[in-house]
Structures are given as C-alpha cells and as structure tokens.
Amino acid sequence: MIILKSEREIQRMAEAGKLLAACHRRLAQLIKPGITTMEIDRYVDTFLKKNGAKSEQFGYNGYQYVTCASINDEICHGFPRKSPLKKGDIVTIDMVVNLNGALADSAWTYAVGEVSESARKLMDVSKKALCIGIEQAVVENRLGDIGHAIQTYVEGEGYSVVRDFTGHGIGRTIHEDPQVLHFGSPGRGLRLKEGMVITIEPMVNEGTWHSKMDDNGWTARTVDGKLSAQYEHTIAITKNGPVILTKQ
Ligand code: MF3
Ligand code: CO
C-alpha cells in the first residue's frame, strides 16, 4: 500500500533530511585514512542526538548500528568496525534519521584520502546515476522510467547496477511501498503521483551486478571482489517536480 504524504509531512521529512545532509557534510571533513567506521558511527550517533534526532536504523530488524558502512567490495549494509580505513579505500555511509517522527534516508560514498582513477570514475558514475534517476521522478512518469534511465546510463559507462537491493517508499517506517528498482523498462510499472516520497539509491558495481551475502546475514558484497559505490537521496514527488529532501 502506498501512503501519500501531505505537504506538512513532506516539510517535516525535509527537516529530517536537512539534518542528515548536514551530518554527511561533516563526514566529508572527517573521513580520512586512519579513522574507523566505528568512530564514524559513534560520531553520527552523537551528532543526531545533539540535534534532537535519532537513528532509525538502530534496532531496525535487529540492526545494531546507527550507520551502514560499506567498504570497497561491500555493496550495502556493512557493519561499522574497529579497523582503520586505509588511503585508497572507498566507503559508503548510509543512515536513516528520525527527527520528531519524520524520516529521511541518504547514503554517500567517500574517498579515503587519494583513491585510484578507477575508483574515482566509479564514484562519479554512481553519483550521476542518482541524478539521472531523480530527473525521471516526476508526476505521470512510471517507476520503470527511473530504473531504465539509471540502467541505460550506468551500463553505457561500462558498469553494472545491483539488482538485489532497491530504493523504496519512506514515511512512517524506513521501507514502505513501492519498491524502486534501479533497472527496468520505460513506460512500465507504477505511475508516480504527487505526494509520494521515495528513495533512489543505485548501487553501481565495477564488475558484475551479482552479490553475495556475508555470514552476518546483512552485508552484501560483489561476487567478483570489485568495487561498489552508492549515492542515495530521499525524494518527494511534487507538482513542481522532484524535491531532494536530503540535498547537501
Ligand atoms: N538505505 C538503506 C536501505 O534502504 C537503509 C538500511 S537500514 C538497515 O536499505 F537498518 F536496514 F540497515
Ligand atoms: Co534506503
């Protein structure tokens, strides 16, 4: 069931999104060789609490951290850990903020120090894939238009789009209907309506799109060990076009 949001609800989600974006901007300064993803997780927890918000991820289906921290070949849902990040790593920090009951979800991939040209290119393509998807998030378009635009661009650049994880509706809970696939056919799928709030969060792989699950039951990584990157925004579909609620 798709729950349409009122302007007031979207406004409140935008406030959560603004705080989340501010947190990501801090992380951009903080993430350097030597820092651990556990330290990043603790930083985010403190930042959110200081600003009257909390993590919606902590405790979600038993998840035990405030952030997901996915390094290099990890696609998503990486657990924060106590080993330091190294120069040349890429790390995706994903978080869901709850501000007075309103939610926002955004992930960002960070370069740890100087990274290889190929890692930088992967990050650029992933970020642009998100932008291209957002452009399609307009009233009367269909979900397939979003997926198709992302897939066509990403594959045209010689990368692949992960199929096993999707974007989603978001509102009172993290994952609401609909599922937002990052691949698909134009003109197919659900028609977008004013008041829908969805995430677009393509995970882009250097090699094949196939993923495997770690023994922890959460963390997905590439089967071929190649890099994966991801940028995610929470988007409101309005009569004036897509509004990025988590814009940095
Ligand atoms: N953006 C992530 C997703 O939609 C948030 C995951 S929350 C978690 O999958 F608790 F499941 F990790
Ligand atoms: Co999400």
Side-chain angles (χ1 to χ4, degrees):
M1 189 193 47
I2 291 163
I3 304 169
L4 298 178
K5 277 82 187 175
S6 64
E7 275 181 33
R8 168 92 190 112
E9 282 172 296
I10 291 173
Q11 188 48 44
R12 295 181 58 237
M13 293 179 81
E15 280 160 26
K18 199 174 164 189
L19 184 64
L20 200 172
C23 188
H24 268 309
R25 283 198 303 266
R26 296 288 192 85
L27 294 187
Q29 305 297 312
L30 208 69
I31 295 177
K32 291 188 170 66
I35 194 169
T36 73
T37 46
M38 191 62 85
E39 286 164 347
I40 295 168
D41 194 73
R42 294 299 84 219
Y43 179 87
V44 171
D45 190 46
T46 305
F47 180 91
L48 296 183
K49 285 176 178 157
K50 228 171 40 196
N51 287 283
K54 62 174 186 174
S55 160
E56 187 70 8
Q57 269 172 226
F58 185 84
Y60 180 79
N61 291 336
Y63 192 73
Q64 282 306 304
Y65 307 94
V66 166
T67 58
C68 297
S70 308
I71 304 167
N72 296 335
D73 63 323
E74 292 174 343
I75 294 170
C76 64
H77 305 159
F79 287 178
R81 32 171 115 102
K82 287 179 178 155
S83 46
L85 291 167
K86 302 184 304 294
K87 174 172 170 286
D89 285 341
I90 61 172
V91 61
T92 303
I93 306 294
D94 191 356
M95 65 181 99
V96 184
V97 169
N98 179 329
L99 180 65
N100 303 317
L103 306 186
D105 184 358
S106 176
W108 212 254
T109 299
Y110 297 95
V112 181
E114 205 180 301
V115 300
S116 67
E117 204 175 306
S118 57
R120 178 54 65 186
K121 177 85 198 298
L122 173 71
M123 291 170 67
D124 290 345
V125 168
S126 305
K127 197 187 286 179
K128 187 151 177 217
L130 169 60
C131 296
I132 285 170
I134 292 171
E135 280 171 14
Q136 297 297 318
V138 294
V139 174
E140 290 301 308
N141 257 4
R142 290 176 183 267
L143 281 176
D145 296 317
I146 297 177
H148 182 258
I150 291 172
Q151 181 181 16
T152 305
Y153 168 67
V154 168
E155 292 179 356
E157 294 291 326
Y159 297 90
S160 69
V161 180
V162 171
R163 315 270 172 110
D164 302 328
F165 298 89
T166 70
H168 48 90
I170 178 166
R172 281 153 229 179
T173 57
I174 299 183
H175 295 128
E176 291 183 354
D177 288 336
Q179 274 199 335
V180 180
L181 273 55
H182 303 113
F183 58 96
S185 308
R188 303 294 289 272
L190 183 86
R191 208 179 276 283
L192 300 175
K193 277 208 194 119
E194 187 182 346
M196 286 183 183
V197 180
I198 59 170
T199 72
I200 302 179
E201 48 180 306
M203 287 141 270
V204 176
N205 290 357
E206 245 182 348
T208 78
W209 58 264
H210 295 275
S211 65
K212 61 182 178 199
M213 181 64 72
D214 279 5
D215 290 339
N216 67 20
W218 277 96
T219 309
R221 66 178 70 238
T222 60
V223 286
D224 52 20
K226 294 188 177 174
L227 297 178
S228 185
Q230 180 189 27
Y231 296 83
E232 170 185 28
H233 275 311
T234 299
I235 309 294
I237 293 164
T238 78
K239 56 181 182 294
N240 303 319
V243 178
I244 304 174
L245 303 182
T246 44
K247 198 181 177 93
Q248 293 178 31

